[in-house]
Coordinates of all heavy atoms in Angstrom, one line a residue:
V222 N 5.0 19.9 -12.1 CA 6.3 19.6 -11.6 C 6.6 20.5 -10.5 O 7.2 20.1 -9.5 CB 7.3 19.5 -12.8 CG1 8.7 19.4 -12.1 CG2 7.0 18.4 -13.7
E223 N 6.4 21.8 -10.7 CA 6.8 22.7 -9.6 C 5.9 22.4 -8.2 O 6.5 22.7 -7.1 CB 6.4 24.1 -10.0 CG 7.4 24.8 -11.1 CD 6.9 26.0 -11.6 OE1 5.7 26.4 -11.4 OE2 7.6 26.6 -12.4
N224 N 4.8 21.8 -8.4 CA 4.0 21.5 -7.2 C 4.0 20.0 -6.9 O 3.2 19.4 -6.1 CB 2.5 21.9 -7.4 CG 2.3 23.4 -7.3 OD1 2.2 24.0 -6.4 ND2 2.3 24.0 -8.6
S225 N 5.1 19.3 -7.4 CA 5.3 17.9 -7.0 C 5.8 17.7 -5.7 O 6.5 18.7 -5.1 CB 6.1 17.2 -8.1 OG 7.4 17.7 -8.1
Y226 N 5.8 16.6 -5.1 CA 6.4 16.3 -3.8 C 6.8 14.8 -3.7 O 6.2 14.0 -4.4 CB 5.3 16.7 -2.6 CG 4.0 15.9 -2.7 CD1 3.8 14.8 -2.0 CD2 2.9 16.5 -3.4 CE1 2.6 14.2 -2.0 CE2 1.8 15.8 -3.6 CZ 1.6 14.7 -2.7 OH 0.4 14.0 -2.6
Q227 N 7.6 14.5 -2.7 CA 8.1 13.2 -2.5 C 7.1 12.3 -1.6 O 6.6 13.0 -0.6 CB 9.5 13.2 -1.9 CG 10.2 11.9 -2.1 CD 10.7 11.6 -3.4 OE1 11.1 12.5 -4.2 NE2 10.9 10.4 -3.7
D228 N 6.8 11.2 -2.1 CA 5.9 10.3 -1.2 C 6.6 9.0 -1.2 O 6.5 8.2 -2.2 CB 4.5 10.3 -1.8 CG 3.6 9.3 -1.0 OD1 4.0 8.7 0.1 OD2 2.5 8.9 -1.6
L229 N 7.3 8.6 -0.1 CA 8.1 7.4 0.0 C 9.1 7.5 -1.2 O 9.9 8.4 -1.2 CB 7.2 6.1 -0.1 CG 6.1 5.9 1.0 CD1 5.2 4.8 0.9 CD2 6.8 5.8 2.4
D230 N 9.1 6.4 -2.1 CA 10.1 6.4 -3.2 C 9.4 7.0 -4.4 O 10.0 7.0 -5.4 CB 10.4 4.8 -3.4 CG 11.1 4.3 -2.3 OD1 11.9 5.0 -1.6 OD2 11.0 3.1 -2.1
F231 N 8.3 7.7 -4.2 CA 7.5 8.1 -5.5 C 7.6 9.7 -5.4 O 7.7 10.3 -4.5 CB 6.1 7.6 -5.5 CG 6.1 6.2 -5.3 CD1 5.6 5.6 -4.0 CD2 6.4 5.3 -6.4 CE1 5.5 4.3 -3.9 CE2 6.2 3.9 -6.1 CZ 5.8 3.4 -4.9
I232 N 7.4 10.3 -6.8 CA 7.3 11.6 -6.9 C 5.9 11.9 -7.5 O 5.4 11.4 -8.5 CB 8.3 12.2 -7.9 CG1 9.8 11.9 -7.5 CG2 8.1 13.7 -8.2 CD1 10.7 12.3 -8.5
R233 N 5.0 12.6 -6.7 CA 3.7 12.8 -7.1 C 3.7 14.1 -7.7 O 4.0 15.2 -7.1 CB 2.8 12.8 -5.7 CG 2.6 11.3 -5.1 CD 1.6 11.4 -4.1 NE 1.4 10.0 -3.6 CZ 0.5 9.2 -4.2 NH1 -0.2 9.6 -5.3 NH2 0.3 8.0 -3.6
L234 N 3.0 14.2 -8.8 CA 2.8 15.5 -9.6 C 1.6 16.3 -8.9 O 0.8 15.6 -8.3 CB 2.4 15.3 -11.0 CG 3.6 14.6 -11.8 CD1 3.1 14.3 -13.3 CD2 4.8 15.4 -11.8
G235 N 1.7 17.6 -9.0 CA 0.6 18.3 -8.6 C -0.8 17.9 -9.3 O -0.8 18.0 -10.5
E236 N -1.7 17.5 -8.6 CA -2.9 16.9 -9.1 C -3.7 17.8 -9.9 O -4.1 17.6 -11.0 CB -3.8 16.2 -8.0 CG -5.0 15.5 -8.5 CD -5.6 14.6 -7.4 OE1 -4.9 14.2 -6.5 OE2 -6.9 14.3 -7.6
E237 N -4.0 19.0 -9.3 CA -5.0 20.0 -10.0 C -4.4 20.5 -11.2 O -5.0 20.6 -12.3 CB -5.2 21.1 -9.1 CG -6.2 22.2 -9.6 CD -6.5 23.3 -8.6 OE1 -6.2 23.1 -7.5 OE2 -7.1 24.3 -9.1
E238 N -3.0 20.8 -11.2 CA -2.3 21.3 -12.4 C -2.1 20.2 -13.6 O -2.5 20.7 -14.7 CB -0.9 21.7 -12.1 CG -0.9 22.9 -10.9 CD -1.1 22.4 -9.4 OE1 -1.3 21.2 -9.3 OE2 -1.2 23.2 -8.7
F239 N -1.9 19.1 -13.2 CA -1.7 18.1 -14.0 C -3.1 17.7 -14.8 O -3.3 17.3 -16.0 CB -1.1 16.8 -13.6 CG -0.5 15.8 -14.8 CD1 0.5 16.2 -15.5 CD2 -1.2 14.7 -15.0 CE1 1.0 15.3 -16.4 CE2 -0.8 13.8 -16.0 CZ 0.4 14.2 -16.7
G240 N -4.2 17.8 -13.9 CA -5.5 17.5 -14.4 C -6.0 18.5 -15.5 O -6.8 18.2 -16.3
Q241 N -5.4 19.7 -15.5 CA -5.8 20.6 -16.5 C -5.0 20.6 -17.8 O -5.2 21.2 -18.8 CB -5.4 22.1 -16.0 CG -6.5 22.4 -14.7 CD -6.1 23.7 -14.1 OE1 -5.3 24.4 -14.6 NE2 -6.8 24.0 -13.0
C242 N -4.0 19.5 -17.8 CA -3.2 19.4 -19.0 C -4.0 18.8 -20.1 O -4.6 17.7 -19.8 CB -2.0 18.7 -18.6 SG -0.8 18.5 -19.9
P243 N -3.8 19.2 -21.4 CA -4.4 18.5 -22.5 C -3.9 17.1 -22.7 O -2.7 16.9 -22.4 CB -4.1 19.5 -23.6 CG -3.7 20.8 -23.1 CD -3.1 20.5 -21.8
S244 N -4.5 16.3 -23.2 CA -4.1 14.9 -23.5 C -3.7 14.8 -25.0 O -4.5 15.1 -25.9 CB -5.3 13.9 -23.2 OG -4.8 12.6 -23.5
D245 N -2.4 14.4 -25.2 CA -2.0 14.3 -26.7 C -0.7 13.3 -26.7 O -0.1 13.3 -25.7 CB -1.7 15.7 -27.2 CG -1.8 15.8 -28.7 OD1 -2.0 14.7 -29.3 OD2 -1.8 16.9 -29.3
S246 N -0.5 12.8 -27.8 CA 0.7 12.0 -28.0 C 1.8 12.9 -28.4 O 1.7 13.9 -29.0 CB 0.4 10.9 -29.1 OG 0.3 11.5 -30.3
I247 N 3.0 12.3 -28.3 CA 4.3 13.0 -28.7 C 4.2 13.1 -30.3 O 4.6 14.2 -30.8 CB 5.6 12.1 -28.4 CG1 5.7 12.0 -26.8 CG2 6.8 12.6 -29.1 CD1 6.8 11.1 -26.4
D248 N 3.7 12.2 -31.0 CA 3.7 12.2 -32.5 C 2.8 13.5 -32.9 O 3.3 14.3 -33.8 CB 2.9 11.0 -32.9 CG 3.7 9.7 -32.7 OD1 3.6 9.3 -31.5 OD2 4.4 9.1 -33.5
Y249 N 1.6 13.6 -32.3 CA 0.7 14.7 -32.8 C 1.2 16.1 -32.2 O 1.2 17.1 -32.9 CB -0.7 14.4 -32.4 CG -1.4 13.2 -33.2 CD1 -2.1 12.3 -32.5 CD2 -1.2 13.2 -34.5 CE1 -2.7 11.2 -33.3 CE2 -1.8 12.1 -35.2 CZ -2.5 11.1 -34.6 OH -3.1 10.1 -35.3
A250 N 1.6 16.1 -31.0 CA 1.9 17.3 -30.3 C 3.2 18.0 -30.9 O 3.4 19.2 -31.0 CB 2.0 17.2 -28.8
V251 N 4.2 17.1 -31.1 CA 5.5 17.6 -31.5 C 6.0 17.0 -32.9 O 6.4 17.8 -33.8 CB 6.5 17.4 -30.4 CG1 7.9 17.7 -30.9 CG2 6.2 18.1 -29.1
M252 N 6.1 15.8 -33.0 CA 6.9 15.1 -34.1 C 6.4 15.4 -35.4 O 7.1 15.6 -36.4 CB 6.9 13.5 -33.9 CG 7.7 13.2 -32.7 SD 9.4 13.6 -32.8 CE 10.0 13.3 -31.2
E253 N 5.1 15.5 -35.5 CA 4.4 15.8 -37.0 C 4.5 17.5 -37.2 O 4.2 17.9 -38.3 CB 3.0 15.4 -37.0 CG 3.0 13.8 -36.9 CD 1.6 13.3 -37.2 OE1 0.7 14.2 -37.6 OE2 1.3 12.0 -37.1
K254 N 5.1 18.2 -36.3 CA 5.0 19.6 -36.5 C 6.4 20.2 -36.5 O 6.6 21.2 -37.1 CB 4.3 20.4 -35.3 CG 2.8 19.9 -35.3 CD 2.0 20.5 -34.1 CE 0.7 20.0 -34.2 NZ -0.1 20.5 -32.9
V255 N 7.4 19.5 -36.0 CA 8.8 20.0 -36.1 C 9.4 19.7 -37.5 O 9.1 18.7 -38.1 CB 9.7 19.4 -35.0 CG1 9.2 19.9 -33.6 CG2 9.8 18.0 -35.1
G256 N 10.3 20.5 -37.9 CA 10.9 20.3 -39.3 C 12.1 19.3 -39.2 O 12.4 18.7 -40.2
D257 N 12.8 19.5 -38.1 CA 14.1 18.7 -38.1 C 14.0 17.4 -37.3 O 14.2 17.4 -36.1 CB 15.1 19.5 -37.4 CG 16.5 18.9 -37.3 OD1 16.7 17.9 -38.0 OD2 17.3 19.3 -36.5
I258 N 13.4 16.4 -38.0 CA 13.3 15.1 -37.4 C 13.8 14.0 -38.3 O 13.6 14.1 -39.5 CB 11.7 14.8 -37.1 CG1 11.6 13.5 -36.5 CG2 10.9 15.0 -38.3 CD1 10.2 13.3 -35.8
E259 N 14.5 13.1 -37.7 CA 15.3 12.0 -38.4 C 14.8 10.7 -37.9 O 14.3 10.6 -36.7 CB 16.8 12.2 -38.1 CG 17.2 13.5 -38.9 CD 18.8 13.8 -38.5 OE1 19.3 12.9 -37.9 OE2 19.2 14.7 -39.1
V260 N 15.0 9.6 -38.6 CA 14.7 8.3 -38.3 C 15.8 7.4 -38.4 O 16.6 7.4 -39.3 CB 13.5 7.8 -39.1 CG1 13.8 7.7 -40.6 CG2 13.0 6.3 -38.6
V261 N 15.9 6.6 -37.3 CA 17.1 5.4 -37.4 C 16.3 4.1 -37.7 O 15.5 3.6 -37.0 CB 17.7 5.3 -36.0 CG1 18.8 4.1 -36.0 CG2 18.4 6.5 -35.6
P262 N 16.6 3.6 -38.9 CA 16.0 2.2 -39.2 C 16.7 1.1 -38.3 O 17.8 1.1 -38.2 CB 16.4 2.1 -40.6 CG 16.8 3.3 -41.2 CD 17.4 4.0 -40.0
I263 N 15.8 0.3 -37.9 CA 16.2 -0.9 -37.1 C 15.6 -2.2 -37.8 O 14.4 -2.3 -37.9 CB 15.8 -0.8 -35.6 CG1 16.0 0.6 -35.1 CG2 16.7 -1.8 -34.8 CD1 15.4 0.7 -33.6
D264 N 16.5 -3.1 -38.1 CA 16.1 -4.3 -38.6 C 16.2 -5.4 -37.5 O 17.3 -5.9 -37.2 CB 17.0 -4.8 -39.8 CG 16.4 -6.0 -40.6 OD1 15.4 -6.5 -40.2 OD2 17.0 -6.4 -41.5
M265 N 15.0 -5.6 -36.8 CA 15.1 -6.5 -35.6 C 13.6 -7.0 -35.4 O 12.6 -6.4 -35.9 CB 15.5 -5.8 -34.4 CG 14.6 -4.7 -33.9 SD 15.4 -3.8 -32.4 CE 14.1 -2.5 -32.1
D266 N 13.4 -7.9 -34.6 CA 12.2 -8.5 -34.2 C 11.5 -7.5 -33.2 O 11.9 -7.7 -32.0 CB 12.3 -10.0 -33.8 CG 11.0 -10.7 -33.4 OD1 10.0 -10.0 -33.8 OD2 10.9 -11.7 -33.0
W267 N 10.6 -6.6 -33.5 CA 10.1 -5.8 -32.6 C 8.5 -6.0 -32.8 O 8.0 -6.2 -33.9 CB 10.4 -4.4 -33.0 CG 9.5 -3.3 -32.4 CD1 9.7 -2.7 -31.2 CD2 8.3 -2.8 -33.0 NE1 8.6 -1.8 -31.0 CE2 7.9 -1.7 -32.0 CE3 7.6 -2.8 -34.1 CZ2 6.6 -1.0 -32.2 CZ3 6.4 -2.3 -34.4 CH2 6.0 -1.3 -33.4
R268 N 7.8 -6.0 -31.7 CA 6.4 -6.1 -31.7 C 5.8 -5.1 -30.6 O 6.3 -5.1 -29.5 CB 6.0 -7.6 -31.4 CG 6.5 -8.5 -32.4 CD 6.2 -9.9 -32.0 NE 6.8 -11.0 -32.8 CZ 6.4 -11.4 -34.0 NH1 5.2 -11.0 -34.4 NH2 7.0 -12.3 -34.6
D269 N 4.7 -4.6 -31.0 CA 3.8 -3.8 -30.0 C 2.7 -4.9 -29.5 O 1.8 -5.2 -30.3 CB 3.1 -2.7 -30.7 CG 2.2 -1.9 -29.7 OD1 2.0 -2.4 -28.6 OD2 1.8 -0.8 -30.1
L270 N 2.9 -5.5 -28.4 CA 2.0 -6.6 -27.9 C 0.8 -6.1 -27.4 O 0.6 -6.1 -26.2 CB 2.8 -7.5 -26.9 CG 4.1 -8.2 -27.5 CD1 4.7 -9.0 -26.4 CD2 3.7 -9.0 -28.8
G271 N -0.1 -5.4 -28.2 CA -1.3 -4.9 -27.8 C -2.6 -5.7 -28.1 O -3.7 -5.2 -27.8
S272 N -2.4 -7.0 -28.6 CA -3.6 -7.7 -28.9 C -3.3 -9.2 -28.8 O -2.2 -9.6 -28.8 CB -4.1 -7.4 -30.4 OG -3.1 -7.8 -31.3
W273 N -4.3 -10.1 -28.8 CA -4.1 -11.4 -28.7 C -3.5 -12.0 -29.9 O -2.8 -13.0 -29.9 CB -5.4 -12.1 -28.4 CG -5.9 -12.0 -27.0 CD1 -7.1 -11.4 -26.6 CD2 -5.2 -12.4 -25.8 NE1 -7.1 -11.2 -25.2 CE2 -6.1 -12.0 -24.7 CE3 -4.0 -12.9 -25.6 CZ2 -5.7 -12.2 -23.4 CZ3 -3.6 -13.2 -24.2 CH2 -4.4 -12.8 -23.2
K274 N -3.8 -11.3 -31.0 CA -3.2 -11.8 -32.4 C -1.7 -11.6 -32.2 O -0.9 -12.4 -32.7 CB -3.7 -11.0 -33.6 CG -3.2 -11.5 -34.9 CD -3.6 -10.7 -36.0 CE -3.2 -11.2 -37.4 NZ -1.7 -11.2 -37.3
S275 N -1.2 -10.5 -31.6 CA 0.2 -10.2 -31.6 C 0.9 -11.4 -30.7 O 2.0 -11.6 -30.9 CB 0.4 -8.9 -31.1 OG -0.1 -8.6 -29.7
L276 N 0.3 -11.6 -29.6 CA 0.9 -12.7 -28.7 C 0.8 -14.1 -29.5 O 1.7 -14.8 -29.3 CB 0.0 -12.9 -27.5 CG 0.2 -11.7 -26.4 CD1 -0.5 -12.1 -25.1 CD2 1.7 -11.5 -26.2
H277 N -0.2 -14.3 -30.2 CA -0.2 -15.6 -31.1 C 0.9 -15.6 -32.1 O 1.6 -16.6 -32.2 CB -1.6 -15.6 -31.8 CG -1.8 -16.9 -32.5 ND1 -3.0 -17.3 -33.0 CD2 -1.0 -18.0 -32.7 CE1 -2.9 -18.5 -33.7 NE2 -1.7 -19.0 -33.4
D278 N 1.1 -14.4 -32.7 CA 2.2 -14.3 -33.6 C 3.6 -14.4 -32.9 O 4.5 -15.0 -33.6 CB 2.2 -13.0 -34.4 CG 1.0 -12.9 -35.2 OD1 0.4 -14.0 -35.6 OD2 0.6 -11.7 -35.7
M279 N 3.7 -14.1 -31.8 CA 5.0 -14.1 -31.0 C 5.4 -15.5 -30.6 O 6.6 -15.9 -30.6 CB 5.1 -13.0 -29.8 CG 6.3 -13.1 -29.1 SD 6.2 -12.0 -27.6 CE 5.3 -13.3 -26.5
H280 N 4.4 -16.2 -30.0 CA 4.7 -17.5 -29.6 C 4.9 -18.6 -30.7 O 4.3 -18.6 -31.7 CB 3.6 -18.0 -28.6 CG 3.5 -17.3 -27.3 ND1 4.3 -17.2 -26.3 CD2 2.5 -16.4 -26.9 CE1 4.0 -16.5 -25.3 NE2 2.8 -16.0 -25.6
P281 N 5.8 -19.6 -30.3 CA 6.0 -20.7 -31.3 C 4.5 -21.4 -31.4 O 3.9 -21.5 -30.5 CB 6.9 -21.5 -30.7 CG 7.7 -20.6 -29.7 CD 6.6 -19.7 -29.2
S282 N 4.4 -21.8 -32.6 CA 3.1 -22.5 -32.9 C 3.4 -24.1 -33.3 O 4.6 -24.3 -33.8 CB 2.4 -21.9 -34.1 OG 1.9 -20.6 -33.8
D283 N 2.5 -24.9 -33.1 CA 2.7 -26.3 -33.5 C 2.3 -26.5 -35.0 O 2.1 -25.4 -35.7 CB 1.7 -27.2 -32.7 CG 0.3 -26.9 -32.8 OD1 -0.2 -26.3 -33.8 OD2 -0.6 -27.3 -32.0
E284 N 2.4 -27.6 -35.5 CA 2.2 -27.8 -36.9 C 0.9 -27.4 -37.4 O 0.7 -27.2 -38.7 CB 2.4 -29.4 -37.3 CG 1.6 -30.3 -36.7 CD 2.0 -30.7 -35.2 OE1 2.9 -30.2 -34.7 OE2 1.2 -31.5 -34.6
A285 N -0.1 -27.3 -36.6 CA -1.5 -26.8 -37.1 C -1.7 -25.5 -36.8 O -2.8 -24.9 -37.0 CB -2.6 -27.6 -36.2
G286 N -0.6 -24.6 -36.4 CA -0.6 -23.2 -36.3 C -1.3 -22.7 -35.0 O -1.6 -21.6 -34.8
N287 N -1.2 -23.7 -34.0 CA -1.7 -23.3 -32.6 C -0.6 -22.8 -31.7 O 0.4 -23.5 -31.7 CB -2.4 -24.5 -32.0 CG -3.6 -25.0 -32.8 OD1 -4.4 -24.3 -33.3 ND2 -3.6 -26.3 -33.0
S288 N -0.9 -21.8 -30.8 CA -0.1 -21.5 -29.8 C -0.8 -21.8 -28.5 O -1.9 -21.3 -28.1 CB 0.2 -20.0 -29.7 OG 1.1 -19.6 -30.8
L289 N -0.2 -22.7 -27.8 CA -0.9 -23.4 -26.7 C 0.0 -23.1 -25.4 O 1.1 -23.4 -25.3 CB -1.0 -24.9 -26.7 CG -1.7 -25.4 -28.1 CD1 -1.7 -26.9 -28.2 CD2 -3.1 -24.8 -28.2
L290 N -0.6 -22.5 -24.4 CA 0.0 -22.1 -23.1 C -0.8 -22.6 -21.9 O -1.9 -22.5 -21.9 CB 0.3 -20.6 -23.0 CG 1.2 -19.9 -24.1 CD1 0.4 -19.5 -25.2 CD2 1.8 -18.7 -23.5
G291 N 0.0 -23.2 -20.9 CA -0.6 -23.7 -19.7 C -1.1 -25.1 -20.0 O -0.7 -25.9 -20.9
D292 N -2.1 -25.5 -19.2 CA -2.7 -27.0 -19.1 C -3.7 -27.0 -20.3 O -5.0 -26.9 -20.1 CB -3.2 -27.3 -17.8 CG -3.5 -28.8 -17.7 OD1 -3.3 -29.5 -18.6 OD2 -4.1 -29.2 -16.7
V293 N -3.3 -27.2 -21.5 CA -4.2 -27.2 -22.7 C -4.0 -28.5 -23.4 O -3.0 -29.0 -23.7 CB -3.9 -26.0 -23.6 CG1 -4.7 -26.0 -24.9 CG2 -4.1 -24.7 -22.9
V294 N -5.2 -29.1 -23.9 CA -5.2 -30.3 -24.7 C -6.0 -29.9 -26.0 O -7.2 -29.5 -25.7 CB -5.9 -31.5 -24.1 CG1 -5.9 -32.6 -25.1 CG2 -4.9 -31.9 -22.9
A295 N -5.4 -29.8 -27.1 CA -6.0 -29.3 -28.4 C -6.3 -30.5 -29.3 O -5.3 -31.1 -29.8 CB -5.3 -28.3 -29.0
E296 N -7.4 -30.8 -29.7 CA -7.8 -31.9 -30.7 C -8.5 -31.3 -31.9 O -9.5 -30.6 -31.7 CB -8.7 -33.0 -29.8 CG -9.1 -34.2 -30.7 CD -7.9 -35.1 -30.9 OE1 -6.9 -35.0 -30.0 OE2 -7.9 -35.9 -31.7
D297 N -8.0 -31.7 -33.0 CA -8.7 -31.2 -34.3 C -8.9 -29.8 -34.2 O -9.9 -29.2 -34.4 CB -10.0 -32.0 -34.5 CG -10.6 -31.6 -35.8 OD1 -9.7 -31.3 -36.7 OD2 -11.8 -31.8 -36.0
T298 N -7.8 -29.1 -33.8 CA -7.8 -27.5 -33.6 C -6.7 -27.0 -34.5 O -5.6 -27.5 -34.6 CB -7.6 -27.3 -32.2 OG1 -8.6 -27.8 -31.3 CG2 -7.4 -25.7 -31.9
G299 N -7.0 -25.8 -35.1 CA -6.0 -25.2 -36.0 C -6.1 -23.7 -35.9 O -7.2 -23.0 -35.8
N300 N -4.9 -23.1 -35.9 CA -4.7 -21.7 -36.0 C -5.5 -21.0 -34.9 O -6.1 -20.0 -35.0 CB -5.3 -21.0 -37.4 CG -4.8 -19.5 -37.5 OD1 -3.6 -19.2 -37.1 ND2 -5.5 -18.8 -38.2
C301 N -5.2 -21.6 -33.7 CA -5.8 -21.1 -32.4 C -4.7 -20.6 -31.4 O -3.8 -21.2 -31.4 CB -6.7 -22.1 -31.8 SG -8.2 -22.5 -32.8
Y302 N -5.1 -19.6 -30.6 CA -4.3 -19.2 -29.4 C -5.1 -19.7 -28.3 O -6.3 -19.2 -28.0 CB -4.1 -17.8 -29.4 CG -3.3 -17.2 -28.3 CD1 -1.9 -17.2 -28.3 CD2 -3.9 -16.9 -27.0 CE1 -1.1 -16.7 -27.2 CE2 -3.0 -16.5 -26.0 CZ -1.8 -16.3 -26.2 OH -1.1 -15.9 -25.0
V303 N -4.6 -20.6 -27.4 CA -5.3 -21.2 -26.3 C -4.4 -21.0 -25.0 O -3.3 -21.5 -25.1 CB -5.8 -22.6 -26.5 CG1 -6.6 -23.1 -25.3 CG2 -6.5 -22.8 -27.8
R304 N -4.8 -20.4 -24.0 CA -4.2 -20.1 -22.9 C -4.8 -20.4 -21.7 O -5.9 -20.0 -21.4 CB -3.7 -18.6 -22.8 CG -2.8 -18.2 -21.7 CD -2.2 -16.9 -21.9 NE -1.3 -16.6 -20.7 CZ -0.2 -15.7 -20.8 NH1 0.1 -15.2 -22.0 NH2 0.5 -15.4 -19.7
S305 N -4.2 -21.3 -20.8 CA -4.9 -21.6 -19.5 C -4.1 -21.1 -18.4 O -2.8 -21.3 -18.4 CB -5.0 -23.2 -19.4 OG -5.3 -23.6 -18.1
S306 N -4.7 -20.5 -17.4 CA -4.0 -20.0 -16.2 C -4.2 -20.8 -14.9 O -3.3 -20.9 -14.1 CB -4.5 -18.5 -15.9 OG -4.2 -17.6 -16.9
S307 N -5.3 -21.6 -14.9 CA -5.6 -22.1 -13.5 C -6.2 -23.5 -13.6 O -6.4 -24.2 -12.7 CB -6.6 -21.2 -12.7 OG -7.8 -21.2 -13.4
R308 N -6.5 -24.0 -14.8 CA -7.2 -25.3 -14.9 C -7.0 -25.9 -16.3 O -6.5 -25.3 -17.2 CB -8.7 -25.4 -14.6 CG -9.5 -24.4 -15.6 CD -10.9 -24.1 -15.1 NE -11.0 -22.6 -14.9 CZ -12.0 -22.1 -14.6 NH1 -13.2 -22.6 -14.5 NH2 -11.9 -20.7 -14.4
L309 N -7.5 -27.0 -16.5 CA -7.4 -27.8 -17.8 C -8.3 -27.1 -18.8 O -9.4 -27.0 -18.5 CB -7.7 -29.3 -17.6 CG -7.8 -30.1 -18.9 CD1 -6.5 -30.1 -19.7 CD2 -8.4 -31.5 -18.6
V310 N -7.9 -26.9 -20.0 CA -8.7 -26.3 -21.1 C -8.6 -27.3 -22.3 O -7.4 -27.6 -22.6 CB -8.3 -24.9 -21.5 CG1 -9.0 -24.5 -22.8 CG2 -8.5 -23.9 -20.4
V311 N -9.8 -27.8 -22.8 CA -9.7 -28.8 -23.8 C -10.5 -28.1 -25.0 O -11.5 -27.6 -24.8 CB -10.4 -30.1 -23.4 CG1 -10.3 -31.1 -24.6 CG2 -9.6 -30.7 -22.2
T312 N -10.0 -28.2 -26.2 CA -10.6 -27.7 -27.4 C -10.9 -28.9 -28.4 O -9.9 -29.8 -28.5 CB -9.8 -26.7 -28.1 OG1 -8.5 -27.2 -28.5 CG2 -9.5 -25.4 -27.2
L313 N -11.9 -28.8 -29.2 CA -12.2 -29.9 -30.1 C -12.9 -29.2 -31.3 O -13.9 -28.5 -31.2 CB -13.1 -30.9 -29.5 CG -13.5 -32.0 -30.3 CD1 -12.4 -32.9 -30.9 CD2 -14.7 -33.0 -29.7
G314 N -12.2 -29.3 -32.4 CA -12.7 -28.9 -33.7 C -12.7 -27.4 -33.9 O -13.6 -26.9 -34.6

Side-chain angles (χ1 to χ4, degrees):
V222 170
E223 289 171 351
N224 288 281
S225 65
Y226 60 95
Q227 196 76 28
D228 177 11
L229 298 176
D230 296 328
F231 310 103
I232 300 170
R233 290 187 176 274
L234 298 173
E236 183 170 333
E237 181 178 350
E238 297 81 5
F239 196 73
Q241 296 173 3
C242 184
S244 178
D245 206 350
S246 69
I247 294 173
D248 300 74
Y249 290 133
V251 172
M252 293 298 168
E253 295 188 4
K254 297 174 182 176
V255 297
D257 182 17
I258 179 166
E259 300 175 349
V260 59
V261 177
I263 319 177
D264 192 357
M265 65 179 183
D266 185 6
W267 167 88
R268 300 173 192 272
D269 180 357
L270 297 181
S272 67
W273 289 118
K274 183 182 185 306
S275 64
L276 285 186
H277 189 172
D278 292 342
M279 182 190 77
H280 287 295
S282 297
D283 61 19
E284 61 278 4
N287 301 309
S288 289
L289 310 176
L290 294 89
D292 192 2
V293 175
V294 175
E296 182 73 18
D297 188 22
T298 294
N300 194 32
C301 291
Y302 179 92
V303 186
R304 179 168 184 152
S305 167
S306 297
S307 65
R308 70 193 107 172
L309 172 65
V310 173
V311 180
T312 65
L313 175 61

